[in-house]
């Protein structure tokens, strides 16, 4: 094949790829490009499935700036909780979070959210120390304290993070929770394991890709 014909063939592939992708996503089964939903779900009167959504909350930053869930709207979130007193598991998790922050630094619709297990009124909640310790990209990695909620209750009941008896802590701080843009839980991952961080990265890509799948006749809520 001459150079001229190769260029023409390459141009045709480039022009036809979006159409071929649309046909594939429209007609093929979507199981390969979907992640499960965690938490209770119901079916409304229209017959649509309504999946569990993590409740909205208000937070405080290190400098006591108030933000709420709307400030993180339209973002896929990687959520973790931390105990300021923990020196064993925390550093391993934070190193993974730094890598994830750098991995998705150019993706404006992806953000990290790390929540202290101590209340905002507790001077030892650790958010300032953690914020100052690592190279935090503003708007990409948010280290916060819950303003008016019990952090342990929010972690267990809101995020569905279960207890891990081997940690001797009330909440499993090793867990990273993947939330889609509608605050639905799409996965849990061990933040101390490189393999789990890699799996999280791949699942996040799938959640992002789901946005481009043509909607079914009855949209999932």
């Amino acid at each position: 094949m001459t150079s001229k014909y190769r260029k023409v063939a390459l141009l045709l592939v480039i022009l036809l790829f979006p159409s071929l992708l649309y046909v594939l996503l429209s007609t093929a089964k979507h199981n390969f490009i979907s992640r499960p939903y965690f938490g209770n779900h119901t079916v409304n009167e229209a017959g649509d499935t309504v999946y569990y959504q993590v409740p909205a909350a208000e937070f405080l930053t290190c400098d006591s700036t108030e933000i709420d869930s709307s400030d993180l709207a339209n973002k896929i979130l990687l959520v973790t909780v931390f105990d300021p007193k923990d020196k064993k598991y925390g550093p391993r998790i934070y190193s993974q979070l730094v890598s994830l922050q750098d991995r998705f630094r150019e993706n404006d619709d992806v953000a990290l959210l790390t929540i202290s297990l101590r209340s905002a009124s507790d001077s030892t909640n650790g958010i300032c120390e953690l914020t100052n310790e690592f190279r935090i990209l503003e708007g990409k990695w948010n280290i916060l304290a819950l303003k008016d909620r019990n952090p342990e209750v929010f972690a267990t009941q809101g995020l569905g993070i279960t207890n891990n008896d081997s940690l001797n802590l009330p909440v499993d701080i090793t867990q990273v929770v993947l939330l889609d843009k509608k605050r639905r839980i799409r996965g849990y991952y061990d933040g101390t394991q490189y393999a789990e961080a890699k799996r999280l990265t791949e699942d996040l890509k799938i959640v992002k890709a789901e946005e481009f799948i043509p909607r079914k006749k009855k949209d999932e809520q």
Side-chain angles (χ1 to χ4, degrees):
M1 182 182 292
T2 66
S3 176
K4 177 180 179 180
Y5 288 123
R6 283 198 296 270
K7 291 181 179 179
V8 172
L10 179 61
L11 179 61
L12 287 174
V13 170
I14 294 174
L15 293 175
L16 291 175
F17 179 75
S19 298
L20 292 174
L21 180 62
Y22 178 84
V23 171
L24 175 65
L25 294 177
S26 298
T27 59
K29 293 182 178 180
H30 297 160
N31 293 337
F32 75 99
I33 198 167
S34 179
R35 293 302 305 144
Y37 297 85
F38 293 81
N40 296 327
H41 60 273
T42 59
V43 178
N44 62 21
E45 295 182 356
D48 300 320
T49 302
V50 181
Y51 294 101
Y52 171 78
Q53 293 175 295
V54 174
E58 295 181 331
F59 304 92
L60 289 178
T61 66
C62 173
D63 62 3
S64 298
T65 300
E66 295 186 15
I67 69 172
D68 58 34
S69 299
S70 63
D71 294 296
L72 300 170
N74 298 317
K75 292 183 183 293
I76 297 172
L77 292 179
L78 309 180
V79 185
T80 53
V81 295
F82 77 98
D83 186 333
K85 290 187 176 181
D86 171 66
K87 304 301 180 184
K88 181 177 181 180
Y89 299 98
R92 296 165 60 185
I93 299 169
Y94 306 146
S95 64
Q96 295 288 4
L97 293 177
V98 170
S99 297
L100 288 168
Q101 173 188 239
D102 293 340
R103 172 66 181 80
F104 294 104
R105 66 187 303 162
E106 302 299 330
N107 297 87
D108 294 335
D109 59 347
V110 178
L112 284 69
L113 171 59
T114 297
I115 304 171
S116 175
L117 283 175
R118 295 182 179 272
S119 66
S121 60
D122 191 336
S123 61
T124 61
N125 60 42
I127 58 174
C128 291
E129 290 81 355
L130 192 57
T131 300
N132 295 329
E133 184 176 355
F134 293 94
R135 178 174 46 81
I136 304 298
L137 298 178
E138 185 176 356
K140 178 59 64 176
W141 187 0
N142 306 273
I143 301 176
L144 307 170
L146 280 163
K147 181 182 177 183
D148 297 315
R149 289 196 179 197
N150 182 303
E152 291 183 10
V153 173
F154 184 78
T156 55
Q157 298 183 11
L159 294 169
I161 299 177
T162 57
N163 183 28
N164 186 333
D165 293 334
S166 65
L167 302 182
N168 294 318
L169 294 171
V171 178
D172 188 350
I173 62 173
T174 68
Q175 293 295 295
V176 182
V177 186
L178 174 61
L179 303 184
D180 64 21
K181 292 182 179 180
K182 294 185 178 181
R183 298 299 176 267
R184 300 172 298 194
I185 300 173
R186 308 303 299 276
Y188 295 91
Y189 311 84
D190 185 342
T192 65
Q193 303 296 324
Y194 172 78
E196 285 285 280
K198 184 176 180 181
R199 182 170 70 90
L200 167 59
T201 298
E202 295 304 315
D203 286 354
L204 191 152
K205 293 177 182 178
I206 293 174
V207 171
K208 283 176 62 67
E210 289 175 354
E211 299 177 30
F212 301 100
I213 296 177
R215 295 179 181 274
K216 298 178 181 179
K217 185 175 181 180
K218 288 185 177 180
D219 293 340
E220 292 178 340
Q221 303 298 312

